[in-house]
Amino acid sequence: MALGCPELCFARGVVPELILDGQTGCLGHTLDDRLSGNGRIGEIDRSRTHLHVQSNFSARVVAERYAAISRSLQR
């Protein structure tokens, strides 16, 4: 995703928190759902996928969020 490649994944575990269905990838609950995402992958804007990762999961963003949590726990 950091390179702009949309993901095709099962909607299990942490995956739904990382991928925006239909926007940065395609999620499925069953194999049929997952396979139907193959036909929609071309509709996803690769630059939006990249920006989603940069805005939410870059080293800087993650470090800032951890620091904010740490500060809130110290109060």
Side-chain angles (χ1 to χ4, degrees):
M1 285 178 56
L3 297 175
C5 184
E7 299 296 316
L8 299 169
C9 300
F10 286 104
R12 296 185 181 144
V14 72
V15 172
E17 296 177 31
L18 303 175
I19 298 171
L20 304 174
D21 191 32
Q23 298 175 36
T24 64
C26 296
L27 299 175
H29 294 281
T30 67
L31 182 58
D32 288 336
D33 290 344
R34 190 12 220 97
L35 292 174
S36 71
N38 289 346
R40 298 181 308 156
I41 201 73
E43 301 168 10
I44 296 174
D45 181 357
R46 296 174 66 95
S47 62
R48 180 172 182 169
T49 301
H50 172 75
L51 290 173
H52 173 69
V53 172
Q54 289 299 310
S55 299
N56 294 285
F57 307 111
S58 69
R60 179 184 202 107
V61 169
V62 171
E64 288 172 354
R65 288 181 183 166
Y66 276 116
I69 290 169
S70 178
R71 283 190 299 274
S72 73
L73 295 174
Q74 293 174 0
R75 294 178 188 172

